Amino acid sequence: MSNLLITNIGQLVTNDSAREGLLGIVEGAAVGVREGMISWVGASDAVPEEFRSLPAIDAREIAVVPGFVDAHTHAVFAGDRSHEHAMRLSGASYADIQAAGDGIYSTVRDTRAASLIELILGSRTRVARMLESGTTTVEIKTGYGLDTANELKMLDAIDAVDSSLPIDIVRTFLGAHVVGPEFNANRTGYVDLVVGEMLDAVSGRVDFVDVFCDAVAFTIDETERITAAASAAGIAVRLHADQLSRTGGGALAAKIGAVAADHLDHASDEDLSYIAAAGTVAVLLPGVSLMMREPAPDGRRFIDAGVTVAIATDCNPGTSYVETMPFIIALAATTSGMTPAEALWSATAGGAAALGLSDRGIIAPGKLADLVMLDAPSYEHLAYRPDGDLVRRVIKRGVPV
Ligand code: NIG
Ligand code: FE
């Protein structure tokens, strides 16, 4: 039933800039859906005749918000790195673990060893939990294959998960996650492989190219080379930037017109001014800071600098095994200096902006009917109850999941 009428919505968060306030809230609302798209939004006691015969859901005064857009994840992987987290809690550093051949390399070994079906089944379980917790669009990166065949296997797994669940997946090629293990003594050879054979192989199958631009991964020069090749191939760019230290990745993202720059924990005020001017979206990842025991990203600083902010889970086996956006909203509001309204906007409209998508994250006529019905009377409960399972019902393209 992709035709639907939802009535008696106590509080509807639309994110519609034509309405008042950041969230464009409508009290006592109803939403009409046709063919999976929002067709009408208005007062519950003024539903137009043409929508009254549609299959209806009575929301019984609860809050309804746009489906969450999780704009940064590494949700396809195999293996288990719980022990690394335990080691970090006892004082080991992320960089030391990677330098000893584990960290991302541990997941690369396990992902290479997994069959396609094993990779699909493990990843599908995670993505299904994301959907259950209200994520209706998720970005997923490759980057645990690090050779052409295994990067393609990751894309095959993403395709299979996409076609088996009612969730939209945005695909990002992250062959430049770290230097492939076979190329430790030949970094340039690995970058050659990424911009040559790998990029050719993934072209037409991905929406973005990403590079982990950091001291433990790729230099600014290497990142520029990879992003230039992506642009030449007509693929949009996003970057992991200034996460562990300031390497200038944020400024580079602005310079090359990247759609998004992610992490940015160590970006300077000058970097933020470039990012704001370029219209590059900052994707802040408070789950990483929590699990790495680093200071939370300062969302307030970004917003005050005029930067468009998204928040995301960064679901990955190393630094943030977090699947649920409501938890990230609570974390951002409580630790990143963002108001509950800003956190929710950044998890919906902000996430869509970070993926270059203008057809979602907003509840208004012409947008996708991706909605989350909360088990709460107001969106503020998302910030208030971090462990609450507040998602009563998820609606994807007009169909209750
Ligand atoms: O976003 N920064 C690089 N990539 C991931 C971590 C990946 C991993 O440790 O497996 C991140 O934090
Ligand atoms: Fe990441």
Side-chain angles (χ1 to χ4, degrees):
M1 98 178 154
S2 65
N3 294 335
L4 189 64
L5 175 69
I6 309 174
T7 58
N8 289 322
I9 300 170
Q11 182 190 62
L12 177 69
V13 171
T14 67
N15 288 338
D16 184 348
S17 56
R19 298 182 187 271
E20 219 172 293
L22 178 66
L23 296 183
I25 289 173
V26 184
E27 314 269 354
V31 175
V33 173
R34 279 197 192 281
E35 306 286 323
M37 310 290 284
I38 309 277
S39 181
W40 174 83
V41 176
S44 197
D45 55 11
V47 176
E49 184 62 40
E50 56 188 292
F51 292 99
R52 287 191 209 151
S53 57
L54 297 183
I57 296 176
D58 181 345
R60 297 169 190 257
E61 303 302 325
I62 51 90
V64 173
V65 303
F68 306 124
V69 180
D70 190 348
H72 181 142
T73 87
H74 309 250
V76 167
F77 62 85
D80 182 338
R81 281 159 62 196
S82 53
H83 183 60
E84 280 182 15
H85 183 59
M87 283 167 67
R88 283 201 305 272
L89 295 179
S90 302
S93 81
Y94 183 75
D96 289 347
I97 292 170
Q98 183 174 309
D102 287 320
I104 292 172
Y105 290 109
S106 156
T107 304
V108 170
R109 281 191 296 277
D110 290 331
T111 301
R112 286 180 175 185
S115 67
L116 175 61
I117 193 76
E118 287 165 342
L119 195 55
I120 293 167
L121 291 177
S123 306
R124 188 184 187 280
T125 305
R126 274 185 290 278
V127 177
R129 278 196 292 261
M130 293 173 157
L131 175 61
E132 272 165 33
S133 62
T135 297
T136 47
T137 299
V138 60
E139 183 259 17
I140 304 181
K141 303 171 198 295
T142 69
Y144 293 123
L146 306 189
D147 61 30
T148 307
N150 282 292
E151 287 292 301
L152 289 174
K153 183 173 78 180
M154 290 192 71
L155 276 180
D156 290 342
I158 294 174
D159 288 350
V161 173
D162 195 2
S163 57
S164 75
L165 288 172
I167 188 168
D168 291 330
I169 302 184
V170 172
R171 293 151 175 76
T172 297
F173 169 57
L174 179 60
H177 200 180
V178 286
V179 173
E182 293 78 16
F183 289 84
N184 272 339
N186 179 16
R187 301 180 61 86
T188 309
Y190 188 69
V191 177
D192 290 343
L193 180 68
V194 169
V195 301
E197 183 183 290
M198 279 192 196
L199 198 56
D200 281 348
V202 303
S203 259
R205 292 190 62 183
V206 297
D207 306 289
F208 288 98
V209 168
D210 191 350
V211 180
F212 185 14
C213 178
D214 216 299
V216 301
F218 293 90
T219 65
I220 282 284
D221 288 349
E222 290 164 342
T223 304
E224 273 205 90
R225 200 180 148 211
I226 296 162
T227 56
S231 301
I235 310 174
V237 171
R238 52 200 314 107
L239 290 182
H240 280 72
D242 301 321
Q243 176 185 3
L244 302 170
S245 61
R246 187 189 174 280
T247 58
L252 175 63
K255 184 178 115 182
I256 63 177
V259 175
D262 301 23
H263 292 281
L264 295 173
D265 301 86
H266 295 276
S268 68
D269 289 345
E270 205 182 345
D271 297 332
L272 296 203
S273 70
Y274 298 144
I275 290 167
T280 296
V281 178
V283 182
L284 303 184
L285 304 164
V288 176
S289 312
L290 175 76
M291 298 312 288
M292 301 284 278
R293 295 195 294 173
E294 296 286 344
D298 188 351
R300 183 84 267 128
R301 189 174 148 243
F302 285 77
I303 292 169
D304 291 348
V307 175
T308 300
V309 171
I311 55 174
T313 61
D314 196 1
C315 180
N316 78 77
T319 61
S320 176
Y321 200 153
V322 173
E323 294 155 338
T324 65
M325 287 295 281
F327 175 66
I328 294 297
I329 292 169
L331 204 54
T334 308
T335 67
S336 290
M338 298 166 76
T339 64
E342 288 166 342
L344 176 57
W345 189 92
S346 296
T348 51
L355 297 176
L357 299 172
S358 56
D359 62 350
R360 64 197 73 196
I362 298 169
I363 299 177
K367 307 294 181 187
L368 292 184
D370 293 355
L371 312 167
V372 174
M373 301 176 67
L374 298 180
D375 243 329
S378 82
Y379 76 86
E380 287 179 330
H381 282 245
L382 286 167
Y384 175 54
R385 295 159 64 187
D387 71 342
D389 178 8
L390 297 182
V391 173
R392 179 187 292 180
R393 203 159 192 189
V394 182
I395 294 165
K396 177 63 188 168
R397 293 182 184 248
V399 181
V401 172

